[in-house]
């Protein structure tokens, strides 16, 4: 991918994370083939069993800078899927090279700042009307707004909301930000630079002057982690004139990067913006004025944004978890009673329409002159295995096996207003129901002898630009299916697979018109 395309992707990508639009109010028929309702035609529903199985994605997925429009951090452990744990690794760059920190520059503090996703409608506000702003002892008002970080998993760990977030120096050279990196990439780490107890909330601060209500200080909601100031004094401030700080190529080999991880093996996973991560170095230097020397404050940012190689490192422990069987069994002949779907590289769902079913539908088409009005795949979550309060997946990325393009339904009908790839129902209940619209795809199989009868579903959604256009439409040569949120969507669920006699077994439902 060229730098221009990457820049466009990073600027225009509008993230679709967590809860997505539900389509409950949409009509069931997608209006393809609706002409068959005219002149006395009738719509007839017919239900067919399909072969559903779990797809082994090898617990890996690309999580490099190109794919990672949102990053994840945390750990979540539950009985069906076991442990999923996410760490974050990034290079660091100077905001300017061969920096001049001034005479007798001494670092006061180094602060890592990240911006997690948070629930803006659950804020708690604390106001200090008698606050004295320390610079100039100015009478002021200080307003602190506290937001809970958006979490997936357990909101509390042992009755608390605490995580220990560790920050370590990376010892390995991380390469170029155009490199393909998968989530199972390991790096060696060195110095521990921080170990912060995180309570699951972040704060914004606003300080206004009492006399005229003007702003004295504004800080956006963020997670701030104090780093080892002695390390950065020696590594950066004291090395200002050194060749290691002279250019980017030298610096990323001298200071190779940072790794953020959590100490615990259970709790929750949260998302944050990887391209706004920064380290602020707060220091003082000598200032000589009219023969008098004073200490002047300075701030020097270190950039961890899109110019840097960065990726999520995702690890698993599926000991005694039913999802572990996915790697051993992928039954595409008879299907599996339960199927597992998990974001961030976990398993997906395969659905195959049997040849006998295709033959039956072709017979309707050829002999009875039936026209397919709508076709959809239907799935239910498994009540026995997945009755909990964890947020369910609300969308899937869907493709035909061995193809990296959109379903034809999606590529041709995405903007018609009458088609939705995935409709999800009752996500706050058990079971939840999902329907995947495949009308045009099935018509191609029946009417045009298209060969693929096999669909792959993975947890996530497609990414769109600011105009609402699918990003994959612009870069079809790069694979339309690559433009999605799979690598940073942590949701998962257990579904009913191919279970004869079970009314919630995976199904194909077609509506056809016949005179």
């Amino acid at each position: 991918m060229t730098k221009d395309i990457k820049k466009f992707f990073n600027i225009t990508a509008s993230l679709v994370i967590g809860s997505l639009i539900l389509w409950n109010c949409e009509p069931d028929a997608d209006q393809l083939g609706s002409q068959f309702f005219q002149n006395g035609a009738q719509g007839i529903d017919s239900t067919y069993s399909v072969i559903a199985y779990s797809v082994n994605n090898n617990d890996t997925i690309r999580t490099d800078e190109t794919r990672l429009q949102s990053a994840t951090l945390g750990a979540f452990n539950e009985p069906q899927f076991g442990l999923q744990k996410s760490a974050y690794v990034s290079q660091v760059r100077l905001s300017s090279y061969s920096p001049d920190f001034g005479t007798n520059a001494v670092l006061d503090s180094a602060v890592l700042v990240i911006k997690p996703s948070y629930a803006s409608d659950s804020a708690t506000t604390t106001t200090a009307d008698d606050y004295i702003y320390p610079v100039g002892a100015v009478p002021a008002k200080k307003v602190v707004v506290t937001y809970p970080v958006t979490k997936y998993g357990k909101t509390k760990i042992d009755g608390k909301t605490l995580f220990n977030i560790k920050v370590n120096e990376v010892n390995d050279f991380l390469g170029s930000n155009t490199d393909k990196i998968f989530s199972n990439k390991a790096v060696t780490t060195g110095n521990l630079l921080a170990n912060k107890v995180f309570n699951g909330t972040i704060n914004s601060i606003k300080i206004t002057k009492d006399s005229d209500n003007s702003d004295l200080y504004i800080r956006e909601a963020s997670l701030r982690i104090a780093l080892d100031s002695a390390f950065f004094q020696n590594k950066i401030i004291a090395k200002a004139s050194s060749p290691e700080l002279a250019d980017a190529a030298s610096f990323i080999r001298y200071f190779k990067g940072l790794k953020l991880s959590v100490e615990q093996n259970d709790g929750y996973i949260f998302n944050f913006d990887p391209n706004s991560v920064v380290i602020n170095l707060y220091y003082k230097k000598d200032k000589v004025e009219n023969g008098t020397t004073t200490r002047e404050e300075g701030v020097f940012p270190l950039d961890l944004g899109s110019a840097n190689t960065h990726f999520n490192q995702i690890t698993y422990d599926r000991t005694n978890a039913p999802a572990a069987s996915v790697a051993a069994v992928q039954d595409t002949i008879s299907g599996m009673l339960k199927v597992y779907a998990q974001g961030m590289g976990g398993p997906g769902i395969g659905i195959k329409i049997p040849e006998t079913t295709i033959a039956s539908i072709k017979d309707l088409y050829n002999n009875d002159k039936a026209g397919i009005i709508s076709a959809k795949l239907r799935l239910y979550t498994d009540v026995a295995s997945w009755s909990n309060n964890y947020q369910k997946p609300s969308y899937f990325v869907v493709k035909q096996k061995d193809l990296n393009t959109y379903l034809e339904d999606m590529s041709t009908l995405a903007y018609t207003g009458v088609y939705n790839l995935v409709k999800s129902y009752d996500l706050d209940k058990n079971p939840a129901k999902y329907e995947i619209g495949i009308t045009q795809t099935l018509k191609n199989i029946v009417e045009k002898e298209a060969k693929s009868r096999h669909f792959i579903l993975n947890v996530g959604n497609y990414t769109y630009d600011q105009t609402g256009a699918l990003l994959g439409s612009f870069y079809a040569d790069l694979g339309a299916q690559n433009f999605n949120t799979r690598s940073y969507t942590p949701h998962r669920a257990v579904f009913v697979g191919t279970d004869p006699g079970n009314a919630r077994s995976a199904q194909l439902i077609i509506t056809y018109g016949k005179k």
Side-chain angles (χ1 to χ4, degrees):
M1 183 181 293
T2 66
K3 291 183 178 179
D4 289 342
I5 291 176
K6 284 188 63 184
K7 182 177 179 182
F8 177 82
F9 184 89
N10 288 328
I11 292 174
T12 60
S14 176
L15 303 183
V16 188
I17 309 171
S19 295
L20 303 169
I21 299 172
L22 309 184
W23 302 103
N24 305 48
C25 299
E26 295 289 335
D28 282 343
D30 56 22
Q31 299 183 27
L32 284 172
S34 59
Q35 67 271 20
F36 293 106
F37 283 125
Q38 300 170 7
N39 302 321
Q42 296 179 342
I44 303 169
D45 289 337
S46 188
T47 301
Y48 302 87
S49 294
V50 294
I51 299 166
Y53 63 96
S54 290
V55 175
N56 181 14
N57 289 318
N58 298 311
D59 283 344
T60 58
I61 191 169
R62 272 187 65 181
T63 56
D64 52 72
E65 188 271 334
T66 300
R67 302 290 176 84
L68 206 66
Q69 303 309 300
S70 178
T72 54
L73 183 65
F76 178 37
N77 197 342
E78 41 75 25
Q80 292 297 321
F81 291 87
L83 170 65
Q84 184 181 56
K85 190 169 187 177
S86 182
Y88 178 71
V89 178
S90 179
Q91 286 176 331
V92 180
R93 277 174 165 76
L94 300 174
S95 53
S96 61
Y97 290 92
S98 297
D100 181 4
F101 297 113
T103 304
N104 295 326
V106 176
L107 190 70
D108 286 334
S109 62
V111 180
L112 174 68
V113 182
I114 67 176
K115 295 181 179 179
S117 301
Y118 60 89
S120 59
D121 59 351
S122 300
T124 301
T125 302
T126 303
T127 303
D129 290 311
D130 56 351
Y131 182 75
I132 302 298
Y133 186 60
V135 180
V138 181
K141 179 173 73 173
K142 181 179 180 181
V143 179
V144 178
V145 184
T146 302
Y147 304 93
V149 166
T150 304
K151 307 174 183 70
Y152 178 75
K154 301 176 178 69
T155 56
K156 293 186 178 181
I157 311 164
D158 296 330
K160 302 177 181 179
T161 58
L162 304 182
F163 259 143
N164 284 76
I165 299 178
K166 299 191 298 181
V167 182
N168 288 83
E169 183 183 13
V170 171
N171 290 338
D172 301 332
F173 177 58
L174 297 178
S176 166
N177 66 346
T178 59
D179 293 343
K180 294 181 180 180
I181 301 176
F182 287 84
S183 57
N184 60 351
K185 179 180 175 65
V187 296
T188 60
T189 57
N191 294 300
L192 177 65
L193 304 181
N195 191 349
K196 179 183 175 65
V197 177
F198 177 51
N199 69 358
T201 65
I202 57 175
N203 300 321
S204 68
I205 299 175
K206 184 175 183 179
I207 301 173
T208 54
K209 189 187 298 185
D210 284 347
S211 60
D212 59 5
N213 206 37
S214 60
D215 293 333
L216 291 169
Y217 179 80
I218 295 176
R219 192 175 82 193
E220 295 181 357
S222 58
L223 169 59
R224 299 170 65 84
I225 301 175
L227 303 175
D228 184 340
S229 57
F231 172 86
F232 284 93
Q233 170 70 30
N234 296 327
K235 194 82 173 181
I236 307 296
I237 301 297
K239 300 282 286 186
S241 60
S242 69
E244 290 89 347
L245 274 60
D247 54 70
S250 300
F251 185 74
I252 61 176
R253 288 165 173 80
Y254 164 65
F255 182 21
K256 298 178 179 66
L258 296 177
K259 177 181 177 179
L260 282 70
S261 61
V262 298
E263 188 173 304
Q264 288 80 1
N265 286 322
D266 195 13
Y268 54 83
I269 295 170
F270 67 92
N271 289 79
F272 65 92
D273 176 11
N275 292 318
S276 65
V277 180
V278 66
I279 297 172
N280 288 322
L281 303 181
Y282 299 94
Y283 66 96
K284 290 187 179 73
K285 62 181 178 178
D286 285 351
K287 179 181 179 182
V288 179
E289 193 171 44
N290 298 324
T292 301
T293 301
T294 58
R295 296 292 281 170
E296 183 180 38
E297 294 181 344
V299 181
F300 187 84
L302 303 178
D303 174 32
L304 281 78
S306 60
N308 295 280
T309 299
H310 57 238
F311 63 95
N312 268 128
Q313 182 187 82
I314 304 170
T315 56
Y316 295 83
D317 183 354
R318 299 200 187 280
T319 304
N320 299 323
S325 64
V326 170
V329 180
Q330 295 188 82
D331 190 343
T332 62
I333 305 300
S334 301
M336 303 166 71
L337 293 176
K338 297 179 183 180
V339 293
Y340 297 79
Q342 180 183 30
M344 295 168 55
I349 299 173
I351 297 179
K352 186 168 68 172
I353 304 174
E355 288 299 329
T356 53
T357 298
I358 296 299
S360 178
I361 298 171
K362 283 184 176 181
D363 185 65
L364 283 172
Y365 174 71
N366 293 320
N367 299 330
D368 295 350
K369 306 304 179 186
I372 297 172
I373 297 166
S374 75
K376 54 195 174 187
L377 301 171
R378 179 179 289 171
L379 290 169
Y380 291 89
T381 54
D382 181 58
V383 175
S385 303
W386 202 255
S387 290
N388 52 54
N389 294 322
Y390 303 135
Q391 187 177 6
K392 295 183 179 69
S394 54
Y395 213 84
F396 297 99
V397 295
V398 183
K399 69 173 187 174
Q400 290 170 274
K401 188 177 180 181
D402 300 324
L403 297 178
N404 205 27
T405 57
Y406 295 133
L407 294 188
E408 186 171 341
D409 302 71
M410 185 174 174
S411 59
T412 59
L413 301 169
Y415 310 117
T416 63
V418 298
Y419 172 76
N420 299 295
L421 176 65
V422 179
K423 298 179 183 180
S424 33
Y425 302 83
D426 299 327
L427 295 185
D428 58 342
K429 300 176 183 177
N430 294 305
K433 181 176 73 173
Y434 301 81
E435 293 180 345
I436 295 90
I438 60 166
T439 305
Q440 187 60 55
T441 303
L442 188 66
K443 285 168 69 70
N444 290 347
I445 293 171
V446 173
E447 300 172 11
K448 300 180 181 179
E449 299 296 331
K451 298 300 181 184
S452 180
R453 288 98 160 95
H454 212 137
F455 300 86
I456 305 296
L457 285 62
N458 280 297
V459 173
N461 199 352
Y462 297 102
T463 47
Y464 300 80
D465 70 11
Q466 293 174 338
T467 70
L470 288 160
L471 278 172
S473 300
F474 293 102
Y475 306 120
D477 58 320
L478 301 174
Q481 290 284 347
N482 293 332
F483 295 86
N484 60 57
T485 69
R486 282 183 57 200
S487 61
Y488 48 89
T489 299
H491 306 98
R492 78 284 306 268
V494 183
F495 296 82
V496 181
T498 301
D499 188 0
N502 187 338
R504 294 175 183 150
S505 181
Q507 303 165 343
L508 166 68
I509 301 169
I510 68 167
T511 302
Y512 60 93
K514 186 173 73 170
K515 290 187 178 180

